[in-house]
Amino acid sequence: MSDDNQKTLCGYIEEELQIKDPQAYISLIEPATHYCEGCGRSAAKPENVCKPKKL
Ligand SMILES: [Zn+2]
């Protein structure tokens, strides 16, 4: 139960972080360098998506 701080963007979006805390959400996606092959989200860090793929 220690993977709480390793949540992916995909997980944050399920919790609606982009609605609850847009600034925190933006800081995760800007500047986007990777996207998720699984769900198509873009992220600033590969570890923030479940299936990172370089942009
Ligand atoms: Zn994903």
Side-chain angles (χ1 to χ4, degrees):
M1 313 265 181
S2 60
D3 58 354
D4 218 38
N5 54 0
Q6 274 294 1
K7 191 172 290 179
T8 63
L9 257 185
C10 316
Y12 281 124
I13 286 158
E14 271 171 32
E15 292 184 355
E16 302 190 312
L17 181 72
Q18 77 278 23
I19 292 164
K20 291 176 187 162
D21 193 348
Q23 280 309 315
Y25 177 70
I26 288 165
S27 72
L28 289 169
I29 60 170
E30 252 186 7
T33 58
H34 289 75
Y35 72 95
C36 180
E37 231 185 356
C39 54
R41 320 237 181 246
S42 52
K45 291 182 182 171
E47 61 263 36
N48 289 139
V49 288
C50 51
K51 285 177 134 186
K53 196 84 169 151
K54 216 165 188 290
L55 281 175

